[in-house]
Amino acid sequence: MTIELNHYRVGNEKLSINNNMTTFQRGLKYGAIAGVIYFVIAFVTNRNYAMEQRLISSSSHGLFCLIMTFFSTSMMESFFNAFKGLLKKYCMAVLCSGMVSLSLMITIHIIIDTPEIVTTVLFSALTSAPYYLLFPLKLVFEYEQRIDRLSYRRDHNWSREWKVQSISRPYGIKDFLKVVLLNLTKISKSNECEIEFTKKNFKLNDCESDIRLGFLGDLMPMYKKSWSLDNSMKDFFSEIDYLVCNFEGLVSGLMEEGGVLLSQNHSTQILEELTNILPAEKIILSVANNHSADYGIKYFYKNVEFLESLGFKVIGLRDRANIVLEDRINLVGATQWSNQHHGYLSFLENSSDFKVDGKVNILYPHWGYELEMFPRKEFHDQAMTLIEEWDGIVGHHSHIPGPVTVIDSIKKKPLIYSLGDSSTGLPRRRYKHGIALTLDIGRDVEGGDCISQGTWSFTKLMKASKGSMVLSCREECDL
């Protein structure tokens, strides 16, 4: 099956872009608009001079801006294509084309003896700045649609090292900018698919439960703060047989760490606290997330080895995506996103390769979009396609709680979009909300295994004392 990831297809074909306008047509359109605008600017700026001189200066200025805007489209594309790296492409397209245009504008006005050269050029430069900033951004969008950003995930030599990027992002530029905007403003509660949370205790299928799985949300670094679970959380997980968590990031100090922006570095305190719930060998940590490869392949495997040396079960690797529990439950970790380019994580498009016939197959994906409570339509459609193949899906990544739903099929299936955050040292309130979940597995009358029921609760990370945070069950989410 081919799965759509963001706006990029994971398959054999390479995406191409269909532009409605050629460079010539686009330049002519923008040039005409610029010519009219800058004719008016020059005409108003030189209002204290004779009409004939005003018309000559204004017409010359407008014609020059039309021509410059026409050629600047090609000029910006040339500078954009001359450099490597998306940030460098954008910056050089802005700076180089801007400096050339400004120099030519000043030269022309000196030649035609414009009375108010400084004022005319200054106002023209200020009003043209958005164009010189936004048009290269349009080139960035087109470039990202034209290239195959996910080609690294199909590298047959998947265990090789790609260059670690100091500035990295999991999404295309449009979605990345949306995440930045949501961080600066407020979270998105847009619910275009009209999805509702199911009740806190939900019945799925008739079978006698004998195994209980517990799930926490993203375990993000606490930095210099300590993390613990209060009695309400311990009571919620008091009867679980296994605990499943997304371990977001890497344990600090295992190797030399490079300067990677937004990398996630853990202390071992969270791991120690987890073992107060269950022994380490009963805790499954998924490393299939967008931060596990922050420092490259050597650190990634060093991190996995360290977690396993403590007794934890680790899933989400390219060649070891899953774990089979008690020969009945197959749990598969996979990620839709990675900040770094590499091939050694378990990616969502390959997750079905790790299904096991005759087991309860549960997908544990790192998917969706940050700070969006409800799924976009394309994300919802993707989830509905995937749930047809799985007995249950428990997702994470958005850093805020997502809907807990039940899908009616031959057997009822749990579909949880996001468990939010269970730990974080970040001070902002929005990152302190999550969901705790349990799923019961048992045998039906025909002797097969199925998910019988589930229970969930909102959680909130709260200050216990100076430098100490505690995770607590909550009836409501006050985001």
Side-chain angles (χ1 to χ4, degrees):
M1 181 183 68
T2 299
I3 297 175
E4 293 288 347
L5 296 182
N6 197 9
H7 300 296
Y8 310 102
R9 178 177 294 279
V10 177
N12 294 323
E13 72 275 22
K14 187 175 180 178
L15 275 179
S16 61
I17 183 169
N18 295 318
N19 289 323
N20 293 325
M21 285 188 176
T22 64
T23 301
F24 177 84
Q25 292 171 325
R26 182 159 56 183
L28 196 60
K29 173 186 173 182
Y30 295 158
I33 295 171
V36 172
I37 292 173
Y38 295 125
F39 171 86
V40 173
I41 289 173
F43 192 77
V44 173
T45 302
N46 294 282
R47 59 187 176 276
N48 295 326
Y49 295 87
M51 180 61 70
E52 183 178 0
Q53 191 174 14
R54 290 176 71 191
L55 288 172
I56 292 173
S57 297
S58 302
S59 299
S60 300
H61 186 62
L63 180 61
F64 168 76
C65 289
L66 185 154
I67 295 170
M68 276 308 305
T69 303
F70 176 78
F71 283 109
S72 67
T73 59
S74 298
M75 185 166 54
M76 278 191 266
E77 288 190 43
S78 297
F79 284 122
F80 185 88
N81 293 328
F83 295 91
K84 294 183 178 180
L86 209 52
L87 181 61
K88 187 177 290 185
K89 282 175 174 290
Y90 174 79
C91 292
M92 298 312 292
V94 172
L95 295 174
C96 294
S97 58
M99 292 302 295
V100 171
S101 298
L102 185 62
S103 300
L104 287 173
M105 186 187 300
I106 293 171
T107 302
I108 291 294
H109 282 292
I110 291 173
I111 292 172
I112 64 175
D113 195 24
T114 298
E116 295 288 344
I117 293 179
V118 175
T119 307
T120 301
V121 171
L122 178 61
F123 275 96
S124 297
L126 290 174
T127 54
S128 63
Y131 168 70
Y132 281 88
L133 291 171
L134 295 176
F135 183 71
L137 190 60
K138 180 178 177 64
L139 296 179
V140 169
F141 294 155
E142 292 178 357
Y143 176 81
E144 287 225 321
Q145 286 183 292
R146 193 165 59 246
I147 65 171
D148 186 355
R149 286 190 70 245
L150 304 180
S151 61
Y152 65 89
R153 293 156 74 139
R154 298 189 297 278
D155 186 356
H156 293 296
N157 185 16
W158 55 264
S159 61
R160 73 185 178 99
E161 178 68 282
W162 288 59
K163 181 181 179 182
V164 174
Q165 302 174 71
S166 297
I167 301 176
S168 59
R169 54 188 166 84
Y171 317 113
I173 192 68
K174 285 185 178 180
D175 289 315
F176 175 73
L177 291 176
K178 183 172 183 179
V179 170
V180 172
L181 181 62
L182 292 176
N183 269 286
L184 294 174
T185 56
K186 60 181 181 180
I187 67 169
S188 171
K189 293 185 179 181
S190 174
N191 190 6
E192 58 182 317
C193 298
E194 299 181 345
I195 299 174
E196 296 182 357
F197 285 74
T198 192
K199 57 186 180 180
K200 297 287 182 67
N201 299 290
F202 53 93
K203 181 71 176 177
L204 295 171
N205 303 290
D206 291 327
C207 58
E208 188 173 344
S209 303
D210 58 351
I211 301 176
R212 176 168 289 180
L213 303 180
F215 296 84
L216 279 173
D218 292 346
L219 296 180
M220 305 297 292
M222 292 300 299
Y223 306 113
K224 295 182 178 180
K225 299 172 183 161
S226 66
W227 177 80
S228 62
L229 281 70
D230 74 357
N231 289 333
S232 67
M233 288 296 305
K234 292 176 181 178
D235 290 343
F236 185 85
F237 285 136
S238 61
E239 298 182 11
I240 62 172
D241 299 290
Y242 299 93
L243 178 64
V244 185
C245 310
N246 171 51
F247 191 71
E248 187 106 8
L250 300 149
V251 176
S252 183
L254 299 180
M255 291 178 63
E256 183 178 350
E257 299 163 8
V260 177
L261 186 66
L262 302 180
S263 60
Q264 303 298 314
N265 307 305
H266 281 276
S267 71
T268 58
Q269 192 272 326
I270 285 180
L271 300 173
E272 295 166 3
E273 180 63 25
L274 288 176
T275 58
N276 290 328
I277 305 173
L278 285 175
E281 59 268 21
K282 296 287 187 178
I283 299 175
I284 298 97
L285 300 178
S286 176
V287 293
N289 56 65
N290 59 299
H291 283 292
S292 283
D294 278 347
Y295 297 128
I297 190 169
K298 291 182 180 179
Y299 207 127
F300 170 74
Y301 279 108
K302 196 77 173 178
N303 186 68
V304 171
E305 290 171 5
F306 178 76
L307 295 175
E308 291 179 333
S309 72
L310 299 177
F312 296 100
K313 307 299 183 185
V314 180
I315 62 173
L317 291 77
R318 174 69 173 258
D319 57 346
R320 190 156 37 100
N322 65 319
I323 186 171
V324 177
L325 302 173
E326 302 191 18
D327 199 34
R328 295 167 62 189
I329 303 164
N330 180 43
L331 183 68
V332 179
T335 183
Q336 183 177 5
W337 310 117
S338 175
N339 286 28
Q340 301 291 341
H341 290 185
H342 63 84
Y344 44 85
L345 282 181
S346 166
F347 290 110
L348 187 56
E349 62 269 21
N350 304 319
S351 57
S352 59
D353 295 343
F354 293 89
K355 288 175 58 184
V356 179
D357 292 338
K359 314 297 182 191
V360 175
N361 287 287
I362 300 175
L363 179 62
Y364 190 59
H366 201 65
W367 65 351
Y369 299 90
E370 293 170 67
L371 301 180
E372 297 183 22
M373 182 170 285
F374 296 95
R376 304 177 190 180
K377 185 180 185 307
E378 64 268 23
F379 177 23
H380 172 258
D381 292 344
Q382 179 189 23
M384 296 307 293
T385 299
L386 282 168
I387 195 63
E388 293 177 5
E389 299 184 30
W390 297 86
D391 297 304
I393 298 178
V394 181
H396 40 93
H397 172 63
S398 68
H399 299 304
I400 58 175
V404 178
T405 67
V406 174
I407 305 301
D408 283 318
S409 184
I410 297 174
K411 290 183 177 180
K412 291 185 177 181
K413 304 177 179 183
L415 170 56
I416 293 87
Y417 285 90
S418 178
L419 296 178
D421 279 354
S422 292
S423 70
T424 179
L426 294 174
R428 302 192 72 184
R429 186 174 67 89
R430 63 183 57 188
Y431 293 114
K432 301 183 186 300
H433 297 267
I435 287 174
L437 171 77
T438 64
L439 294 177
D440 290 359
I441 287 85
R443 297 192 186 278
D444 59 24
V445 293
E446 298 177 353
D449 288 309
C450 63
I451 305 175
S452 61
Q453 61 187 3
T455 303
W456 66 276
S457 171
F458 286 117
T459 64
K460 186 174 182 180
L461 194 61
M462 299 182 295
K463 183 177 180 180
S465 60
K466 186 177 180 180
S468 177
M469 305 294 290
V470 61
L471 189 67
S472 176
C473 287
R474 311 290 285 185
E475 282 297 318
E476 302 291 337
C477 177
D478 57 358
L479 277 173

